[in-house]
Amino acid sequence: MTDAYIYDAVRTPRGKGRADGALHEVTSMRLSAGVLNALKSRNGLEGHAVEDVIWGNVTQVKEQGGCLARTAVLASELDERIPGLSINRFCASGMEAVNLAANQVRGGAGQAYIAGGVEMMGRVPMGSDGAAIAVDPSVAMETYFVPQGISADIIATQYGFSRDDADALAVESQRRAKTAWDERRFDRSIVPVTDQNGLTILDHDEYMRPGTDMQALGALKASFKDMGEVMPGFDKVALMKYPHLERIEHIHHAGNSSGIVDGAAGVLIGSREFGAAHGLTPRARIRATAKIGTDPTIMLTGPVPATEKILADSGIAISDIDLFEVNEAFASVVLRFMQAFEVDPSVVNVNGGSIAMGHPLGATGAIIIGTLLDELERQDKEMGLATLCIASGMGAATIIERV
């Protein structure tokens, strides 16, 4: 089987996902095209240089619908002979795009791919595409459906995480993100977003709140308490599924949950032969990929079984992993991962995560793979694992190894 290598990884800064966010004027297509153009120019991709563009985005309606991947190719400077494939695995869409591309290369279906994703959450609101699991009673009742915030609180209750635990992780995420920006750790990957005149719209992660402390977070109201306890009373649904729990402890709020933002990211993946033909040096090899289905009610525990699966499939031990990127969808997701594998927090999300910088759903999987690669290089480490929880009860993971 052919090895698949990462040759480059770029991302845009993340803008606040609302009407006054810096990127609100930019469409999903234009933001995606900008990432594709950056990969093309940085790596000299002339002509039909890559087999396909695989692009993740979650809310595939309106401007993000109609196979956005192909539209972004046509809007970019890439050759029109390069097709495009839009995919949706919820929060892992960007990672799944990378994993699909890597496995296509490994299987001999083309020498190179561009993979990544986008989400303009301020322009195309999360959930505006509908979801049968949430609105169709024939499946919602059978699966004991609850919203993700309730699921995050179930994890906290089930595994014994307190409000202080979650808030402390959030404060640390903000501190690490600020340090990363202050020390310019993202310089190699960041592609500033410019307007049609070439003027910079955004060149930094706009969502960050570096002054966040425990006192400020302690003053915030739990975001999911009312929907759990009052209307529509999702705690009762959860307790029917998990009768061993006396009640659901609601610990999550806006400060210890991922931010709603706009952003895009892309990764150039190819064989060794592709790199030789284009004068490119590989930065890392994609050692293994994995995805798995999990309990759809607690929903967000997927990083644990996905990691167990990828380690078992690859023969790699958890002790072989130098650095981890675990998407900070909610604080309890990361706390549960570290608890399950007894991982030192100092090697998890070294540069902060989605709590500090935001979670542009379709792009985040590609973002954390790029961040992981940059940090492995910065620390001169060898192997890293990236993983995400996924709506409806799934998990995904990728292991990369520097070359």
Side-chain angles (χ1 to χ4, degrees), residues 225-246:
K225 183 178 177 66
D226 286 348
M227 73 167 62
E229 297 179 355
V230 186
M231 291 294 292
F234 283 110
D235 284 7
K236 293 181 179 179
V237 177
L239 293 173
M240 284 192 290
K241 180 74 174 285
Y242 312 113
H244 61 285
L245 300 177
E246 293 184 7

Side-chain angles (χ1 to χ4, degrees), residues 5-311:
Y5 296 92
I6 297 176
Y7 285 92
D8 201 5
V10 301
R11 72 170 178 93
T12 70
R14 286 167 272 197
K16 295 176 183 177
R18 58 195 196 203
D20 62 350
L23 297 182
H24 189 68
E25 67 187 75
V26 185
T27 66
S28 308
M29 176 192 70
R30 289 297 174 193
L31 201 68
S32 299
V35 169
L36 298 180
N37 288 341
L39 288 170
K40 177 183 185 296
S41 63
R42 285 162 57 121
N43 299 283
L45 303 179
E46 299 300 329
H48 197 175
V50 300
E51 189 75 17
D52 202 355
V53 170
I54 305 178
W55 215 238
N57 67 288
V58 175
T59 310
Q60 297 189 8
V61 295
K62 299 180 180 178
E63 67 184 52
Q64 290 187 169
C67 192
L68 174 62
R70 174 57 176 165
T71 309
V73 170
L74 295 175
S76 76
E77 298 167 2
L78 290 178
D79 193 296
E80 67 179 13
R81 290 173 293 174
I82 298 171
L85 170 66
S86 290
I87 66 165
N88 180 3
R89 200 188 290 279
F90 297 125
C91 297
S93 296
M95 175 176 284
E96 189 61 29
V98 171
N99 290 353
L100 278 172
N103 290 327
Q104 292 277 70
V105 171
R106 293 168 78 187
Q111 292 289 320
Y113 288 75
I114 292 174
V118 67
E119 207 77 35
M120 299 301 290
M121 301 180 74
R123 295 177 62 91
V124 186
M126 179 172 55
S128 57
D129 55 341
I133 194 169
V135 301
D136 187 331
S138 67
V139 66
M141 294 175 67
E142 288 185 4
T143 58
Y144 295 89
F145 170 81
V146 298
Q148 288 187 30
I150 301 293
S151 298
D153 287 337
I154 296 172
I155 294 173
T157 306
Q158 172 79 13
Y159 295 101
F161 305 126
S162 68
R163 169 77 176 254
D164 281 352
D165 293 333
D167 287 356
L169 186 144
V171 170
E172 181 65 7
S173 180
Q174 296 283 354
R175 187 194 68 80
R176 293 183 182 188
K178 182 181 186 303
T179 298
W181 273 101
D182 288 347
E183 296 182 359
R184 306 186 64 162
R185 297 181 189 177
F186 301 131
D187 277 8
R188 181 168 185 175
S189 299
I190 288 290
V191 177
V193 181
T194 59
D195 64 15
Q196 293 180 343
N197 298 314
L199 300 176
T200 298
I201 297 173
L202 186 66
D203 62 3
H204 64 281
D205 287 324
E206 183 184 31
Y207 184 80
M208 291 167 52
R209 292 156 293 177
T212 300
D213 57 25
M214 292 293 287
Q215 289 70 32
L217 295 185
L220 297 177
K221 179 182 178 181
S223 296
F224 311 104
K225 183 178 177 66
D226 286 348
M227 73 167 62
E229 297 179 355
V230 186
M231 291 294 292
F234 283 110
D235 284 7
K236 293 181 179 179
V237 177
L239 293 173
M240 284 192 290
K241 180 74 174 285
Y242 312 113
H244 61 285
L245 300 177
E246 293 184 7
R247 62 184 179 278
I248 307 301
E249 300 291 344
H250 294 287
I251 71 165
H252 288 93
H253 50 75
N256 59 27
S257 306
S258 57
I260 294 174
V261 296
D262 303 326
V267 182
L268 176 61
I269 298 160
S271 65
R272 180 76 76 170
E273 292 74 17
F274 164 79
H278 290 80
L280 301 174
T281 301
R283 296 173 62 189
R285 177 163 61 110
I286 297 181
R287 282 288 304 270
T289 69
K291 62 270 187 182
I292 198 165
T294 65
D295 180 339
T297 306
I298 201 168
M299 194 186 308
L300 307 174
T301 55
V304 173
T307 296
E308 291 171 342
K309 185 176 190 299
I310 201 170
L311 295 176

